[in-house]
Every structure is written in C-alpha cells, then in structure tokens.
Amino acid sequence: MRTLRDAAADADVHIGAAVDVESLRTNTDYRETVAREFDAVTAENAMKWGPLADGESGYDFAAADDIVDFAARHDMYVRGHTLVWHRMYPEWVRPWARSDTEMRRLLSDHIHTVAGRYRGRVDAWDVVNEAVDDDGGLRENAWLNALGPEYIDRAFEHAAAVSDADLFYNDYGADGLSAKADEVYDLVSDLVAREVPVDGVGLQLHVFDDVVPPADVAANVERLTDLGLDVHITELDVGIGEAVADRDEQAEYYYDVVSAAVDAGVDTVVTWGVDDGQSWLPARGFGDAPLLFDEEFRRKPAHGAVLDALGE
Ligand code: G3I
C-alpha cells in the first residue's frame, strides 16, 4: 500500500513525525509505523535541555542518540528541537542567580555541546524556539533578560560555528497572516538583513481553536521564501473539536493546508506525533485525535488526505 514516505519522495519533500523515545524503544507498532510512513523525525522532547541534563551542567545523550541512530538506520532527515527556548531548561541553570556573563557562557556552552555533538547527524535545528511574545515584541525570558535581543544572534552564530545543519527560527501562532506572523516576519527579515546565519523558519501549525486559512499559510510561506529562507511546517496537528468537527473535516483541512503549504514552497512537513494515543493536544483540552493514525496505528482519513496532497 502506498505510504506517506512514497508520496513525499515523489513530491521531493520530507514528511515527518515528532517521536517519543520510549515509544520508539518499546512499541513495535509505533516503531514500524514511523519507519514505514515517514522519512523525517523530530525529537519531541529528547533534545531539549531539560531532558538532556545529567546533574549540574552534565549531559545524558542516550535518548537523543537513540532517535538519531534510528533515523540513520532508516535513512531519515532529522530535525533537532530545540537549542534555545524559554521552557524545559534544567533547574540548576537558575537564571535569576546568574550574572549576564554567566548566562552568555551557558548559552554558548550548551549550543556548542549539543549542536556540535550532532554535527552531520542532525539536518536542521530549531535554534531558537518561540522568542516572539503573543502580544508582540520579544518574549520576556531568561536569555532576553541577560543578553538582550542579541541572544538570538548569538544562538544562531554559536550553532553555525559547530553545525552544518540548516538553522531555523521556530514559532507557533505565526502560521498564516496575523499580527504575530508579522512580528516573526519582521524578526527574521532583520536577521537576514544583518547576515545572522539563519536558514529557515519553522511554522508549528498547531490547529485547535480555529483553522488557519490555507491561503494565508501560503501567503506567509511565500513572503518568507522571498527572503531566501526555507520554510518547514514543524508541528502540524489538527484537533477535532473547535477547529474541525469530525475526522472527515479534519482530513479536508489536512489536505487543504498541506497542499497550500507545499505549493507555496514548504519542503518539510512534520506532524507533532505519530498516533492519537500519544498527542499532547487532548491532554491540554485542545481538541481530540489530531494526528494521521489512530491509537491502534490505523490510517485515518487524514492520512489519505495528506497522501493525496503530496501526490498532487
Ligand atoms: O519525562 C517526564 C517524566 O519522567 C515525569 O514523570 C512526567 C511527569 O512530570 O513528566 C515527563 O516530562 C514531560 C515531557 O513532556 C515528556 O512526556 C513534561 O512534564 C512535559 O512538560 C513535556 O511536555 C512537552 C512540552 O512540549 C514541554 O516540553 C510535550 O510532550 C511536547 O509535545 C511539547 O511540545 C512543544 C514543542 O516542544 C514546542 N512547540 C509547542 C509544543 C506543544 O507544547
């Protein structure tokens, strides 16, 4: 039976899923579905600083290595997620107790350690994640407080110094045409203008309360590619509830938004999870059954819709 991976190869795009390392290690159906249907993976949590941390300033790379090794065995494109974020850094960092100089060093050491380790094995990094505040401007976080806006430049420069991966800015709520999408556009335009080594933008495209019009996604992708940037859809999921009423409407939207994004120039689409049993969305009350496979790893109408969208 034709797989998403077959269709993606024919369309010359990557189709991926965010993977949970324990499921990859212990669930045969999960592992086989990922290897059969996808040619790209993102570490859902294993490459975040918190999960990597082992004691004070130490690292335990076992989980991240397992994901990268799995991807290598199955000739998969790897998206590293994420080097600099306001969430999930280790408790020992204690930014409020650090001088600006110490925070600057921590930022540099972390990126050099992690991005350097996976040089040649991670193809794209979400270098900075969710730096734009929902109300406009830069999100107040430990890095902004310590280094000012230049923390973003430094993050990309450190990553570029130790990695040959494509370097992405990744965010949510900036998928279509919105005030936040304009903020992200302005941010990356400025980075490009100042020759900060950014290669692309990740549009997370979490859909739960209302759908993002596919035409707006396409327009946003086009203006970003006009800057010379790649655009990935990095965390696609469509919760059944508010945004779409049932699995058929869900499939229609998956078809429309993936078609529009790929036609506009997106060359990588990653769903935020493999099966509905593993998704973060329902637990947050953001809609149900958002992915392409149900809890028993059976293909849903959304799977066929993405297959058709890639087969255009
Ligand atoms: O691994 C621990 C486990 O040992 C512990 O018993 C358990 C209960 O405290 O927590 C487990 O860690 C959880 C982790 O997921 C792994 O399951 C964290 O508490 C929980 O906060 C974490 O949630 C993740 C969240 O990011 C925060 O990092 C979600 O799985 C993940 O889907 C979500 O993904 C984010 C992207 O990184 C960025 N974009 C938004 C997206 C959705 O929030």
Side-chain angles (χ1 to χ4, degrees):
M1 181 181 281
R2 187 164 169 77
T3 66
L4 294 168
R5 185 166 182 155
D6 295 332
D10 292 346
D12 197 21
V13 305
H14 291 297
I15 182 71
V19 293
D20 165 68
V21 68
E22 282 316 313
S23 301
L24 213 49
R25 286 169 169 165
T26 62
N27 185 323
T28 305
D29 288 337
Y30 184 97
R31 192 168 52 246
E32 288 176 353
T33 300
V34 174
R36 182 185 70 244
E37 293 282 352
F38 298 102
D39 77 329
V41 287
T42 301
E44 183 177 9
N45 291 299
M47 292 187 182
K48 293 168 182 173
W49 195 350
L52 284 173
D54 181 23
E56 178 98 11
S57 75
Y59 288 88
D60 176 356
F61 288 107
D65 285 353
D66 279 0
I67 291 172
V68 171
D69 292 346
F70 173 87
R73 284 197 302 277
H74 297 283
D75 191 21
M76 300 177 93
Y77 182 88
V78 180
R79 298 199 83 262
H81 175 80
T82 178
L83 296 171
V84 181
W85 193 21
H86 62 281
R87 295 178 63 187
M88 294 291 276
Y89 52 75
E91 286 181 16
W92 63 259
V93 171
R94 292 188 305 280
W96 57 87
R98 299 262 182 196
S99 70
D100 296 352
T101 303
E102 284 179 307
M103 289 298 283
R104 190 181 297 276
R105 179 181 54 75
L106 283 176
L107 182 75
S108 172
D109 289 353
H110 177 61
I111 295 171
H112 280 75
T113 301
V114 179
R117 176 184 183 84
Y118 292 110
R119 184 186 191 106
R121 308 197 70 201
V122 166
D123 301 290
W125 272 108
D126 289 335
V127 175
V128 174
N129 190 45
E130 303 175 4
V132 172
D133 193 85
D134 295 347
D135 299 329
L138 290 180
R139 180 189 301 273
E140 177 107 10
N141 65 36
W143 308 110
L144 183 73
N145 292 338
L147 282 74
E150 66 160 276
Y151 85 91
I152 298 172
D153 302 23
R154 297 295 84 76
F156 280 97
E157 288 159 2
H158 292 319
V162 297
S163 173
D164 50 11
D166 287 332
L167 305 179
F168 280 71
Y169 173 76
N170 190 54
D171 216 329
Y172 68 87
D175 311 304
L177 297 178
S178 65
K180 185 169 180 180
D182 291 346
E183 291 268 351
V184 168
Y185 177 82
D186 292 344
L187 170 69
V188 297
S189 299
D190 174 58
L191 296 177
V192 169
R194 292 187 294 107
E195 297 182 346
V196 174
V198 58
D199 300 300
V201 175
L203 305 178
Q204 292 184 12
L205 205 44
H206 290 295
V207 178
F208 40 86
D209 45 16
D210 47 36
V211 293
V212 183
D216 290 0
V217 174
N220 192 32
V221 169
E222 282 162 3
R223 69 175 173 172
L224 290 166
T225 53
D226 285 348
L227 293 173
L229 295 171
D230 293 335
V231 182
H232 288 178
I233 302 300
T234 52
E235 305 185 14
L236 180 57
D237 46 26
V238 182
I240 292 175
E242 297 288 310
V244 294
D246 55 36
R247 292 182 3 152
D248 290 335
E249 264 190 48
Q250 180 187 58
E252 274 175 50
Y253 183 71
Y254 263 108
Y255 175 86
D256 291 343
V257 79
V258 171
S259 302
V262 170
D263 289 351
V266 163
D267 63 10
T268 299
V269 176
V270 177
T271 56
W272 202 245
V274 178
D275 65 291
D276 288 337
Q278 294 274 343
S279 170
W280 74 289
L281 217 59
R284 298 284 296 274
F286 291 161
D288 295 324
L291 295 167
L292 305 184
F293 297 88
D294 69 17
E295 294 88 343
E296 304 299 320
F297 300 94
R298 290 175 299 223
R299 295 172 162 196
K300 295 163 58 181
H303 175 281
V306 174
L307 208 57
D308 292 346
L310 294 174
E312 292 294 271

